[in-house]
Amino acid sequence: MSDAREGQATLDGVVSALRAHESFVMVSHVKPDGDTLGAGLALGLGLQQLGKRVAYFNENAVPRNLRFLPGADRVRRDLGTLPDGTMFCFFDMSDVARAGPYLPPFDAAHTLNVDHHLGNTRFAALNYILEAEASAGAVVLKILEALKTELTPQIAECILTTLMTDTGAFAHSNTTPAVLREAARMMEAGANKERITQEIFANKRFAAQHLMGTALARMRFDAEAGVVWTVVDAEMLASCGADSEDTEDIVQQLRIVDGCKVAVLFKALEPGEVRISLRSNGEVNVQSVAARLGGGGHFRAAGCTVPGSLGEGVTAIAEALRAEGVASAMVVPA
Ligand code: 5GP
Ligand code: MN
């Protein structure tokens, strides 16, 4: 079932395992995005075509801008009693810990890990990790093709959402010709690109845009090191009437500053911890930076959570960046 690459299942191995199981739980990561949800929903919809029983787990509520996804209303934290031998399938997560603490107990022998992150810990019995793919949903598409299920408009919409989420609506460098061909194919199969654009990229809440302005007003730029950073704290959220979902697009606005090599958003929303989002223009591997602090991600997009105050979070990132060759005297912006 494994090929030469250690811990990597073959596509045939994945397909026969999926066919052999009758009950599934599709697991998406905490603070879910369009890739982790779209990938799990797409495979789940395909398996439902085969008469399988499929449940969808996420520890959080589906974010407002992803509720349009076909099947999103079936995602929940409490799944009730599951049949013995239920297969747990994990999407878009480099480690099982990304599923969060509420994941129901599962049998490690019946697990599938579908991902595209660098440094995936290959935590499942079957690991199908294609690092060159732009989204976990693109990996699912290969599995669905091998399963020979019908590419319904609903499945196509889920897959197109994963591609658009992880390429920034086809703007990032992972937008290969193959991605554009797959996207075109999803549109031909009935995916509504306009709806995805509208739901995910265009219907910003007033509070979110207000928060964006507040965060950009505190933005700092170390032009010599090429580091742009800012903070969002609970006070800023409250004063804008915003919530944590409204922070999604801020780090991208830092990254597009001319001369930015690394963009960092520090979020101090829960007491005693700082959640950090990192973006790179391609020179610096921010996955390595995040990994130094227990996080992970991709070369150009990564994240981590560090304990302590905002100041401690900034210091931790400054040190991790220095270790990766980017020396910047970062401070908490006033
Ligand atoms: P974001 O900044 O949008 O939260 O995350 C960017 C990327 O890094 C995503 O691909 C996400 O899956 C990954 N990532 C974010 N936070 C963590 C983390 O704490 N651990 C790991 N392993 N990956 C993370
Ligand atoms: Mn992804």
Side-chain angles (χ1 to χ4, degrees):
M1 213 171 260
S2 292
D3 69 9
R5 197 136 128 255
E6 206 201 331
Q8 176 82 341
T10 62
L11 190 50
D12 282 350
V14 171
V15 165
S16 36
L18 291 172
R19 288 198 182 282
H21 287 79
E22 288 309 320
S23 169
F24 296 85
V25 174
M26 302 302 173
V27 182
S28 45
H29 62 66
V30 293
K31 309 246 164 71
D33 62 12
D35 189 23
T36 191
L37 285 170
L41 288 165
L43 186 57
L45 289 165
L47 290 169
Q48 285 172 237
Q49 281 177 29
L50 302 177
K52 311 287 186 184
R53 172 196 163 121
V54 186
Y56 300 88
F57 171 84
N58 192 276
E59 76 154 43
N60 305 106
V62 173
R64 287 181 291 276
N65 65 355
L66 293 169
R67 291 193 191 144
F68 75 97
L69 278 171
D73 55 329
R74 295 194 48 203
V75 177
R76 42 186 51 82
R77 181 187 285 187
D78 295 313
L79 303 178
T81 313
L82 297 163
D84 284 346
T86 292
M87 180 177 230
F88 276 60
C89 304
F90 301 84
F91 301 91
D92 194 42
M93 51 187 93
S94 47
D95 193 85
V96 67
R98 296 273 294 146
Y102 298 97
L103 185 65
F106 60 89
D107 182 348
H110 303 278
T111 49
L112 169 66
N113 167 12
V114 177
D115 190 29
H116 68 134
H117 282 91
L118 297 176
N120 185 293
T121 57
R122 297 178 188 261
F123 54 85
L126 284 172
N127 301 286
Y128 195 60
I129 320 296
L130 302 179
E131 288 157 354
E133 293 298 325
S135 68
V139 184
V140 165
L141 182 59
K142 294 191 187 317
I143 295 172
L144 286 170
E145 280 166 350
L147 272 173
K148 300 195 169 64
T149 52
E150 187 196 340
L151 184 60
T152 61
Q154 291 75 26
I155 291 176
E157 188 135 316
C158 289
I159 301 284
L160 185 56
T161 298
T162 74
L163 292 171
M164 290 177 65
T165 299
D166 276 22
T167 62
F170 309 120
H172 301 334
S173 62
N174 56 355
T175 311
T176 58
V179 164
L180 293 174
R181 278 193 290 269
E182 279 164 2
R185 207 146 56 79
M186 296 308 107
M187 288 177 73
E188 282 161 0
N192 186 338
K193 178 178 178 294
E194 196 180 336
R195 174 162 61 211
I196 299 168
T197 305
Q198 178 62 28
E199 295 284 349
I200 301 185
F201 298 96
N203 63 349
K204 295 300 161 210
R205 301 203 306 166
F206 179 82
Q209 294 301 75
H210 191 183
L211 182 67
M212 176 75 79
T214 318
L216 291 182
R218 287 181 80 173
M219 172 175 67
R220 293 293 177 271
F221 184 23
D222 177 344
E224 205 175 320
V227 182
V228 181
W229 71 101
T230 194
V231 298
V232 170
D233 59 25
E235 227 170 55
M236 289 162 75
L237 279 196
S239 75
C240 295
D243 63 28
S244 61
E245 283 177 32
D246 297 318
T247 64
E248 273 302 294
D249 302 330
I250 297 171
V251 71
Q252 170 65 7
Q253 292 303 312
L254 306 182
R255 196 189 67 87
I256 61 179
V257 169
D258 185 26
C260 173
K261 288 184 192 160
V262 179
V264 193
L265 172 63
F266 298 92
K267 293 188 278 187
L269 305 181
E270 312 283 343
E273 67 169 46
V274 186
R275 160 98 205 120
I276 296 155
S277 282
L278 295 142
R279 298 292 183 271
S280 159
N281 73 345
E283 281 175 57
V284 179
N285 182 353
V286 289
Q287 189 265 342
S288 306
V289 177
R292 287 178 179 277
L293 299 168
H298 306 278
F299 195 101
R300 290 172 183 249
C304 57
T305 301
V306 299
S309 66
L310 206 42
E312 287 167 314
V314 172
T315 303
I317 286 292
E319 280 170 12
L321 278 172
R322 188 167 296 117
E324 296 292 323
V326 181
S328 177
M330 299 171 75
V331 293
V332 177

